[in-house]
Amino acid sequence: MQENHVEVLLTHLKQTIVLNEQEIQRISEVVELVSLKRKELLLQPGQLSQHMRFIAQGSARCYYLDENSQEHTLQIGIEEWWINDLYSFLTQRESKLFIQAIEPAVIVQISRENLEQLYTEIPAISTFFRLKIQSAYVALQERTIENMSTDVYTRYQRFIKEYRNIEQRVPQYMIASYLGVTPEFLSYLKKKHLDSLS
């Protein structure tokens, strides 16, 4: 089963870059698997994010708590998505975020130290993560502008298009938190969407 989870990562990498057998073997040697139970934390405030993390199975989310202990979900990740506190990973400053399994999950992670070695040994890995980090920055900026300029119903429609079939897997309060609305208002948005389809 362990090999299957690593294979999910390798297949994901090969969608973007070309790897030979020797490079595949090297990557397989340095990745680590972390199995999480539902609601188990992978990262919490005060810790340093020392790994790049790939969801091979299950789902997870990244969130923070404000001064009123209100949850704000920044990212929801499903199979074949990366999830991390990139700010903490890149700056090596303490995280302010939680990473938590939504469902039982298997995370394939690569430590910062091993990743630096791979950048030197396998230049294609450096290219892959450069593209991923650029993509993450673009997505963050798009979401920030969308939150300031787009109505919440449009944001909901984009969410269900981007995260297909996820509504059955994720508690409604987490989706509401991601969209910045109350669970009650999310119910209204869902009803409005269903009415528009009928």
Side-chain angles (χ1 to χ4, degrees), residues 128-169:
F128 177 86
F129 280 103
R130 176 174 56 80
L131 293 171
K132 278 293 165 193
I133 289 170
Q134 285 175 356
S135 171
Y137 178 79
V138 168
L140 175 64
Q141 183 164 311
E142 283 178 346
R143 185 172 173 213
T144 302
I145 292 170
E146 184 182 67
N147 284 349
M148 291 188 291
S149 62
T150 310
D151 68 271
V152 71
Y153 180 58
T154 304
R155 297 205 308 269
Y156 172 73
Q157 288 179 305
R158 181 174 172 178
F159 174 84
I160 56 177
K161 183 179 175 185
E162 192 173 319
Y163 292 96
R164 286 186 186 151
N165 303 319
I166 201 171
E167 284 191 276
Q168 290 74 38
R169 299 173 58 180

Side-chain angles (χ1 to χ4, degrees), residues 43-177:
L43 181 75
Q44 50 192 317
Q47 297 177 332
L48 289 181
S49 180
Q50 298 283 20
H51 298 82
M52 288 300 282
R53 299 177 168 104
F54 175 79
I55 304 170
Q57 181 182 315
S59 59
R61 68 171 177 147
C62 191
Y63 71 96
Y64 77 94
L65 292 178
D66 65 21
E67 62 275 9
N68 299 316
S69 297
Q70 187 77 30
E71 290 183 10
H72 299 271
T73 299
L74 302 180
Q75 184 185 3
I76 294 173
I78 54 179
E79 290 89 358
E80 298 187 43
W81 288 51
W82 294 84
I83 192 160
N84 203 3
D85 180 350
L86 267 183
Y87 178 82
S88 176
F89 182 83
L90 294 171
T91 64
Q92 285 299 279
R93 295 181 180 172
E94 290 183 357
S95 178
K96 296 177 181 175
L97 306 178
F98 296 87
I99 297 177
Q100 180 189 47
I102 299 171
E103 305 167 315
V106 178
I107 309 295
V108 184
Q109 60 182 29
I110 309 173
S111 72
R112 186 183 178 84
E113 183 181 344
N114 283 327
L115 197 54
E116 291 294 337
Q117 290 175 356
L118 290 180
Y119 287 162
T120 304
E121 296 171 26
I122 309 173
I125 289 292
S126 180
T127 300
F128 177 86
F129 280 103
R130 176 174 56 80
L131 293 171
K132 278 293 165 193
I133 289 170
Q134 285 175 356
S135 171
Y137 178 79
V138 168
L140 175 64
Q141 183 164 311
E142 283 178 346
R143 185 172 173 213
T144 302
I145 292 170
E146 184 182 67
N147 284 349
M148 291 188 291
S149 62
T150 310
D151 68 271
V152 71
Y153 180 58
T154 304
R155 297 205 308 269
Y156 172 73
Q157 288 179 305
R158 181 174 172 178
F159 174 84
I160 56 177
K161 183 179 175 185
E162 192 173 319
Y163 292 96
R164 286 186 186 151
N165 303 319
I166 201 171
E167 284 191 276
Q168 290 74 38
R169 299 173 58 180
V170 177
Q172 293 303 291
Y173 79 89
M174 290 184 190
I175 296 174
S177 166

